[in-house]
Amino acid sequence: MKIITNNEIFFKRAAIVFFVAFFVVGCFIIKDYGISWDEGIQRWLGEENYNFIKTNNPQTLLENKDRFYGPAFEIFLFSAEKIFNLTEIRDIFLLRHVLSFFTFFIAVLCFYLLGFKIFKSRAVALLCAVMLVASPRIFADSFYNSKDLAMLCFCTIASYTMFLYIEKQTIWSALIHAPFCAIVLDIRIVGILLTFATLYLFIFKKEKKIIPFLVFISYTLVCIVAFWPILWLDPITNFLTAFKQMSHFPVAGCTLFYMGSYISLQELPWHYLPHLILITTPVYYIVLFLTGLFFLAKNTIINFRSTLFFHSVLFILVAPLAAVIILNSTVYDGWRHVFFVYPFLLLIAVYGFTQLIQAIKNNLTIKFIIYSTVVAISFVFVFMCSNHPFQNVYFNFLAGKNIRQNYEIDYWGLSYKQGLEYILANDKSEHINICAQNLPGYLNFIIIPPEERKRLVRVDNIQSADYFLSNFRSHPTDYNFGTSIYQIDVGGEKIMEVLKLK
């Protein structure tokens, strides 16, 4: 490790430069992203919970079919738009995107600090942060995905506070860690795994401080109820109902497009999640992850206690995937429901990198591994820059060719924004009739500035439309009508097209 830890001052400054650049770039590109399929529904969930808190009238919330969905982050987002007194719908969603990105920025910073605590090296800590940012799908979703990425962010933050609590075992560290454990659970109920991981590490801790531990447990329970309004009505019953519903979320009759076939959500093959993780994660990260698993198994056998923290990391990574497979839980739209396991995959990958460096004695080979890592990450950044803002449709070479004929690509319809902008820039008509293949085509009217938005007219009948737009969701083949005037290609695959009809 000496070759990458002998210049800590340099890597400390490099980390500062990286985070400043990351923040500035993020702020500049926030407006580039469209509106995803679920954003309106998520905002509605926040509004229902906010109104219940404000009026103490649960009637409307109880009538919401998504009432048992964890609302912690959505309450925060909706409260923010009220604090800023926003009424223009575009401003509201831009604020949501800003706050979502800021949350991701804080999570990446905590990931860096966690990496420094674990590996005792600023260089390796910086590698952790860089790999998390250089993850195309995660990066893109950090701007608009207020549920799956919020879960990832708070899992990452909670992992850092968990390390601090286990390390210090003070009342203050317990009081800091408990709310984050609660927030994670109150976004997705599977977040209870962070609490279990904390208990596991506490059990194997040689010196146990009981009072801070009791503070942690009791305050976590208090915060779980406090941050989830529907639990105020009946904590135990509603919690159990939420757990049951989230295990098998009701989506009767729905199918998804996977490996060239339409499959019922109730009949997903066991390999659905592992396969999608494999083909949408940079391959080099997967290689490092497998290396990390090898060294983790080896070092656990040699010295069990030396790898305790990584046991909890592996537990948080594997348990949700195993639960989905065993319980046949509902997942759809890729593997976004388990995005929160991704930082733990990266921790094991970085562990594999450090162990490989330590195991090799030849400096030339070590330099080769380091340079290979830099080059591999650089290629990911090149893809992200050259295909901005469509990092969300990243596939690695393992996905093969003809991706649109085998998998959903822009399943949330974010690319509709650019399609609408093209039409508005090239058609000066006072009213433009727009027909879209699916709902996000109309949702993206929201993100268009008001003076331009008023020119767009939604029509559901192609015969009445001037333009037809498609993101090819559930339609992997090209259309045989209209004239193609604009399309977006990523990695040689068409993800969105505008057809002129008149």
Side-chain angles (χ1 to χ4, degrees):
M1 287 287 288
K2 184 177 180 181
I3 197 168
I4 59 173
T5 59
N6 59 0
N7 198 344
E8 290 293 277
I9 295 177
F10 168 80
F11 284 108
K12 182 178 181 179
R13 292 172 179 171
I16 294 173
V17 171
F18 168 76
F19 278 102
V20 170
F22 173 37
F23 184 80
V24 172
V25 170
C27 290
F28 270 103
I29 66 175
I30 285 172
K31 292 184 179 180
D32 296 344
Y33 293 93
I35 300 293
S36 63
W37 199 303
D38 283 5
E39 283 188 79
I41 298 173
Q42 288 302 113
R43 178 176 176 266
W44 182 34
L45 178 65
E47 180 179 12
E48 298 289 359
N49 280 273
Y50 176 89
N51 290 336
F52 170 42
I53 294 170
K54 189 174 181 179
T55 65
N56 199 33
N57 182 359
Q59 186 60 39
T60 306
L61 177 61
L62 291 174
E63 294 172 354
N64 190 328
K65 67 181 181 65
D66 296 325
R67 61 189 178 277
F68 293 113
Y69 205 103
F73 192 62
E74 294 301 331
I75 294 172
F76 163 71
L77 293 179
F78 192 83
S79 299
E81 71 177 72
K82 292 301 179 183
I83 291 172
F84 287 100
N85 196 29
L86 300 180
T87 56
E88 163 54 43
I89 193 67
R90 180 174 187 265
D91 294 337
I92 288 172
F93 278 91
L94 283 177
L95 176 65
R96 289 173 61 88
H97 289 191
V98 167
L99 295 177
S100 295
F101 169 71
F102 284 0
T103 304
F104 182 60
F105 177 82
I106 294 171
V108 175
L109 180 59
C110 287
F111 199 53
Y112 169 82
L113 296 174
L114 177 61
F116 183 61
K117 282 285 186 182
I118 296 171
F119 300 108
K120 314 299 182 186
S121 164
R122 294 193 183 277
V124 180
L126 181 58
L127 177 62
C128 291
V130 170
M131 288 176 69
L132 183 53
V133 174
S135 300
R137 288 183 174 242
I138 301 301
F139 179 83
D141 273 42
S142 69
F143 292 91
Y144 50 78
N145 189 339
S146 62
K147 50 182 178 180
D148 307 305
L149 253 291
M151 180 68 172
L152 179 150
C153 291
F154 283 99
C155 273
T156 305
I157 297 169
S159 297
Y160 176 58
T161 59
M162 176 176 71
F163 194 99
L164 294 180
Y165 165 66
I166 294 299
E167 180 183 50
K168 298 179 179 180
Q169 288 195 72
T170 62
I171 291 177
W172 280 112
S173 62
L175 290 173
I176 293 172
H177 182 44
F180 287 107
C181 281
I183 291 172
V184 169
L185 188 148
D186 287 352
I187 294 174
R188 277 220 165 100
I189 205 163
V190 71
I192 197 172
L193 294 175
L194 264 296
T195 303
F196 289 158
T198 304
L199 297 179
Y200 173 82
L201 293 175
F202 178 79
I203 289 171
F204 284 96
K205 189 75 174 176
K206 287 184 178 180
E207 296 182 7
K208 300 179 180 62
K209 297 182 180 179
I210 301 302
I211 293 179
F213 175 74
L214 295 176
V215 169
F216 164 69
I217 293 297
S218 57
Y219 194 43
T220 298
L221 293 174
V222 169
C223 289
I224 288 172
V225 176
F227 301 154
W228 198 343
I230 202 166
L231 298 186
W232 302 354
L233 304 175
D234 189 342
I236 297 176
T237 301
N238 285 343
F239 181 84
L240 293 175
T241 303
F243 182 83
K244 181 180 179 181
Q245 187 178 99
M246 288 304 109
S247 297
H248 295 281
F249 196 77
V251 283
C254 294
T255 61
L256 55 79
F257 189 56
Y258 174 63
M259 298 185 72
S261 301
Y262 291 95
I263 303 174
S264 168
L265 293 185
Q266 282 74 38
E267 299 175 358
L268 289 181
W270 68 267
H271 50 75
Y272 177 73
L273 286 180
H275 180 78
L276 286 176
I277 292 173
L278 181 66
I279 64 175
T280 60
T281 301
V283 173
Y284 191 71
Y285 300 0
I286 299 295
V287 173
L288 288 182
F289 170 71
L290 296 175
T291 304
L293 286 181
F294 168 77
F295 281 108
L296 180 57
K298 175 184 174 183
N299 294 336
T300 298
I301 295 172
I302 296 173
N303 186 347
F304 180 82
R305 286 189 172 274
S306 70
T307 56
L308 276 176
F309 183 79
F310 283 98
H311 297 168
S312 64
V313 168
L314 189 61
F315 169 70
I316 299 171
L317 170 61
V318 173
L321 302 178
V324 169
I325 293 171
I326 295 171
L327 300 176
N328 195 28
S329 299
T330 302
V331 291
Y332 45 92
D333 292 339
W335 58 284
R336 63 180 180 82
H337 292 83
V338 292
F339 270 174
F340 66 91
V341 307
Y342 186 71
F344 304 100
L345 182 152
L346 291 185
L347 282 177
I348 295 177
V350 174
Y351 177 76
F353 171 81
T354 59
Q355 291 296 307
L356 189 61
I357 294 295
Q358 288 180 349
I360 295 173
K361 305 301 181 184
N362 185 289
N363 280 347
L364 187 62
T365 305
I366 292 174
K367 288 181 179 180
F368 174 78
I369 294 171
I370 294 172
Y371 293 148
S372 297
T373 302
V374 173
V375 170
I377 294 175
S378 297
F379 273 115
V380 177
F381 273 123
V382 168
F383 170 87
M384 293 171 66
C385 294
S386 60
N387 293 286
H388 175 77
F390 309 112
Q391 299 92 350
N392 59 300
V393 299
Y394 173 82
F395 287 88
N396 62 42
F397 70 86
L398 297 177
K401 299 180 179 180
N402 301 318
I403 294 175
R404 182 155 59 93
Q405 278 68 50
N406 290 287
Y407 307 99
E408 296 287 6
I409 302 185
D410 183 22
Y411 52 75
W412 263 358
L414 292 137
S415 57
Y416 278 115
K417 173 181 182 290
Q418 283 69 25
L420 294 171
E421 289 174 339
Y422 177 85
I423 293 172
L424 289 166
N426 291 276
D427 189 329
K428 302 305 178 182
S429 303
E430 184 178 357
H431 299 293
I432 305 172
N433 294 333
I434 300 293
C435 181
Q437 182 203 350
N438 42 43
L439 181 61
Y442 308 116
L443 292 177
N444 274 276
F445 286 17
I446 291 171
I447 206 67
I448 303 297
E451 62 276 10
E452 288 291 289
R453 186 194 314 145
K454 65 184 180 183
R455 298 171 55 209
L456 299 174
V457 179
R458 171 178 177 170
V459 296
D460 296 319
N461 189 334
I462 289 182
Q463 282 69 35
S464 303
D466 299 312
Y467 299 92
F468 177 78
L469 291 81
S470 174
N471 65 333
F472 298 99
R473 177 162 184 166
S474 301
H475 193 289
T477 58
D478 288 337
Y479 292 89
N480 58 4
F481 59 84
T483 302
S484 177
I485 60 171
Y486 178 71
Q487 68 181 48
I488 297 172
D489 294 280
V490 176
E493 294 289 342
K494 189 191 304 182
I495 69 169
M496 204 283 299
E497 187 171 35
V498 176
L499 299 172
K500 189 172 184 178
L501 302 178
K502 296 181 180 178

